[in-house]
Amino acid sequence: MFTKTPRKPLGLLAVAASLTLVATACAESDRDSAGGDDRPFVFAATGDITALDPFLASDGETFRYSRQVFDTLLEHESGGTEIVGGLAEEWEQSEDGTVWTFKLHDGVKFHDGDDLDAEAVCANFDRWHNLSGGYQSSNNSYYWQKIFGGFAENEDDSLPESRYVSCEAQDELTAVIEVTEYSSLYPGGFSLAAFGIMSPTTLENIADAEISGDEGNFTLPEYTQVAGTVAGTGPFTVEDWDQDQSEITLKRFDDYWGDPAGFETMLLRTIPDENARRQALEAGDIHGYDLVAPADVGPLQEAGFEVPTRGVFNVLYLAYQQDDEALADLEVREALSHAVNRQRIVDTILPEGGEVASQFHPDTLDGWSPDVREIEYDPELAREKLSDAGYEDLEVEFCYPTEVTRPYMPAPKDIFDVITEDLQEAGVTVNASSYEWAEYINQTDSGNCPLYLLGWTGDYNDAYNFIGTWFSTPNSAWGLDEPELFDLMAEVSTNPDEEERIAGYQELNEMVMDVLPGLPISSSPPSIVFSSEVQPPNVSPLTQEMFAEASWK
């Protein structure tokens, strides 16, 4: 039986728009004199995008851009976490979970005039599966490896076997994708922005593009950095990318197959500093920005700005890199965990609605367990455990990111300072190391930071997207080697029985907290802000806003 959902209905925004048509028409000359629909909508992001091809990305800022330009087979309902149709108007899964059949919308055009059909979809999936060289680095194919495993020909023995078998065009508008086994990675994986569908002409033009350099020093192909090289089916096209000014210009695609974008032009501008973002909004230089500082929410609301708050779907954690001799000792990890006053972070730094996290995903997700062991704040116990472990004079490097704000981490330096103070109270000597965001991710992923702050905003509504992301296989970011945990994760995530799978995730959460690879700190609801002139889009707990829904009031 096919699952079917309507595609991008106009909903309340359209109803409101239709009810105001008469009033709008009466004021047409005033609107035109003020710029009206021709004014570009300017939104400030917290960081730069990395590439125009979302397949090569793993960061939220690139995906914020790409969701406006590319569609995926499936997506999430506007403002929610339920999977609905994207390019596929209907889809079904075989009884054994290995065959996925997608019936595509008819009449969909790519930005370059190509038609969407099943062969175009399969050409994208086959391209990804057959990539080689630098594309096979997890830095450049992170989400493919997380969702589909390895490649047609793995060039590194450490790569997993591919879960992807094939994609076949059953007819013009029916694509059939086969995977090796049932997995809770699907259908969520088909909604990921990394798998935005590109036009056949784009694929032909980039067929010979290569990634040069080596691990930690890759140079992406030219097509990923120059506007006009990629075509999707989304509501906006890429007109320009001024990397010197950290600004990308998107234009409304008039042949879009869904509801047309409310803005003719949208500018995504990078403003890393949260104070500078607020000042730009107040000055009228921008019309919205993400990740409002908690202290700014009330004043902005009082000043007349729209400040919607997203639902809680993230977690912030303190990671313990177990390749470090001291942190390989469970008693040391327990001591550091008892030293951290997480409630103080929630009370003094995070937005209203934040709460201490007891495990590595929020309690809004099935699989959260009420039975994980509790880690109480107890600096005296922390000292005792360090002494018992022979590390009463522990000295440790602690890394944190600069010039960045994340949904789960609104003030990295402030959080770092609080934790550092707590660790020092327990007798730990902290050596601080800071990196800008891109370098920070390289350092933490490579295992070069013994202690570090990081987190996650869910991509789709399944526990595996949190705990499976980190704890399904050995990886250098954690230095974790727990075969029993890895085996159970594989068993649970491939169990087609939903009740058994949820119970399994609860057991896994309990096991993870017993192993204690890091300390979950908090989950919190990040805010986003818009000018009073703007009718905002529905805000997403997944931070997956579609700006085509927004418009001038």
Side-chain angles (χ1 to χ4, degrees):
M1 180 176 178
F2 279 95
T3 301
K4 183 173 183 178
T5 57
R7 166 63 187 179
K8 301 184 187 304
L10 283 170
L12 294 177
L13 294 181
V15 173
S18 65
L19 291 175
T20 59
L21 280 176
V22 174
T24 301
C26 294
E28 189 72 32
S29 60
D30 290 340
R31 186 193 68 182
D32 287 345
S33 65
D37 290 344
D38 293 336
R39 287 179 295 161
F41 168 69
V42 186
F43 187 85
T46 62
D48 293 334
I49 75 168
T50 56
L52 296 177
D53 183 349
F55 178 84
L56 300 173
S58 60
D59 64 288
E61 297 303 347
T62 298
F63 294 148
R64 187 198 307 277
Y65 134 79
S66 72
R67 286 190 185 93
Q68 321 311 317
V69 176
F70 300 98
D71 291 309
T72 48
L73 286 173
L74 304 178
E75 60 185 34
H76 290 95
E77 63 178 338
S78 177
T81 60
E82 181 184 347
I83 296 288
V84 297
L87 289 173
E89 64 175 349
E90 300 178 53
W91 72 97
E92 70 173 1
Q93 177 186 19
S94 64
E95 187 172 340
D96 67 357
T98 63
V99 179
W100 290 83
T101 302
F102 299 94
K103 289 190 175 296
L104 306 176
H105 284 274
D106 192 10
V108 177
K109 289 281 188 183
F110 286 97
H111 301 152
D112 57 11
D114 287 355
D115 293 317
L116 174 77
D117 57 21
E119 289 187 358
V121 169
C122 289
N124 278 267
F125 277 87
D126 286 342
R127 171 189 176 245
W128 298 327
H129 186 229
N130 286 281
L131 288 171
S132 60
Y135 290 102
Q136 293 197 5
S137 166
S138 62
N139 287 333
N140 303 318
S141 53
Y142 176 84
Y143 275 105
W144 176 266
Q145 294 187 36
K146 287 297 181 184
I147 302 301
F148 294 104
F151 299 86
E153 294 184 11
N154 287 343
E155 297 172 6
D156 188 323
D157 292 339
S158 67
L159 286 169
E161 292 185 10
S162 177
R163 299 186 191 97
Y164 175 85
V165 176
S166 64
C167 181
E168 300 291 339
Q170 189 176 86
D171 57 43
E172 184 179 4
L173 294 175
T174 306
V176 180
I177 296 176
E178 184 178 354
V179 293
T180 56
E181 61 184 353
Y182 172 87
S183 174
S184 60
L185 292 164
Y186 318 110
F190 294 114
S191 73
L192 294 181
F195 306 135
I197 302 299
M198 292 183 175
S199 73
T201 298
T202 298
L203 298 185
E204 182 180 349
N205 290 340
I206 68 175
D208 296 328
E210 296 182 354
I211 294 176
S212 58
D214 51 25
E215 204 73 35
N217 190 35
F218 289 114
T219 300
L220 297 180
E222 184 179 4
Y223 84 88
T224 70
Q225 308 296 307
V226 179
T229 57
V230 294
T233 58
F236 290 98
T237 65
V238 184
E239 181 178 75
D240 184 51
W241 183 13
D242 188 335
Q243 297 191 38
D244 292 334
Q245 298 298 318
S246 295
E247 184 174 273
I248 187 164
T249 302
L250 306 180
K251 280 289 186 181
R252 181 168 56 208
F253 179 43
D254 290 333
D255 290 330
Y256 181 53
W257 58 283
D259 299 329
F263 300 117
E264 181 178 328
T265 305
M266 176 178 176
L267 306 181
L268 278 172
R269 180 179 299 164
T270 301
I271 305 179
D273 181 76
E274 61 187 18
N275 290 323
R277 291 197 296 273
R278 186 194 71 244
Q279 291 164 4
L281 179 71
E282 293 169 337
D285 296 332
I286 63 174
H287 306 106
Y289 70 86
D290 203 357
L291 306 184
V292 180
D296 290 338
V297 172
L300 286 171
Q301 289 174 328
E302 292 172 6
F305 295 101
E306 304 253 6
V307 194
T309 298
R310 300 180 176 102
V312 177
F313 208 66
N314 58 46
V315 66
L316 166 69
Y317 58 81
L318 174 66
Y320 305 136
Q321 167 49 257
Q322 292 186 44
D323 287 338
D324 181 272
E325 180 180 351
L327 296 177
D329 188 324
L330 176 59
E331 194 160 19
V332 172
R333 301 198 300 275
E334 291 175 335
L336 298 184
S337 299
H338 285 295
V340 178
N341 187 346
R342 294 177 288 173
Q343 191 64 53
R344 178 160 70 126
I345 294 171
V346 169
D347 292 343
T348 62
I349 300 175
L350 297 184
E352 184 177 350
E355 56 187 32
V356 171
S358 65
Q359 50 211 278
F360 279 88
H361 69 66
D363 60 9
T364 52
L365 198 60
D366 287 341
W368 184 91
S369 172
D371 299 321
V372 297
R373 69 160 170 170
E374 296 183 11
I375 305 291
E376 300 290 345
Y377 169 58
D378 191 336
E380 288 303 316
L381 179 58
R383 283 181 176 272
E384 290 176 16
K385 283 185 168 290
L386 286 173
S387 179
D388 291 345
Y391 287 99
E392 60 270 16
D393 296 320
L394 178 64
E395 184 174 343
V396 65
E397 181 184 4
F398 186 4
C399 301
Y400 68 95
T402 61
E403 298 186 34
V404 72
T405 310
R406 305 307 304 144
Y408 47 79
M409 186 166 50
K413 180 61 163 59
D414 293 345
I415 296 170
F416 168 84
D417 287 341
V418 168
I419 295 176
T420 296
E421 184 178 318
D422 289 342
L423 295 178
Q424 289 172 338
E425 184 181 349
V428 178
T429 299
V430 173
N431 297 319
S433 293
S434 62
Y435 303 94
E436 292 186 8
W437 183 243
E439 179 60 20
Y440 185 74
I441 295 302
N442 285 335
Q443 292 293 327
T444 56
D445 281 353
S446 300
N448 295 331
C449 289
L451 283 185
Y452 60 91
L453 291 167
L454 209 53
W456 188 260
T457 298
D459 295 306
Y460 54 88
N461 195 3
D462 190 272
Y464 188 89
N465 185 239
F466 282 84
I467 55 176
T469 295
W470 303 304
F471 310 127
S472 58
T473 58
N475 66 75
S476 55
W478 299 87
L480 180 67
D481 187 14
E482 294 287 341
E484 184 179 353
L485 174 62
F486 303 153
D487 290 345
L488 182 59
M489 192 76 71
E491 178 184 333
V492 170
S493 67
T494 56
N495 186 342
D497 187 291
E498 184 177 14
E499 288 188 8
E500 292 180 4
R501 191 168 65 251
I502 291 172
Y505 285 137
Q506 291 177 323
E507 181 182 351
L508 281 162
N509 273 309
E510 294 156 21
M511 184 182 296
V512 168
M513 289 307 295
D514 287 339
V515 171
L516 206 62
L519 177 68
I521 294 175
S522 59
S523 295
S524 58
S527 294
I528 187 171
V529 63
F530 295 92
S531 162
S532 60
E533 299 175 281
V534 174
Q535 177 66 50
N538 291 324
V539 297
S540 164
L542 307 169
T543 66
Q544 295 181 5
E545 286 79 24
M546 289 300 297
F547 288 96
E549 297 175 346
S551 62
W552 299 115
K553 285 186 177 178

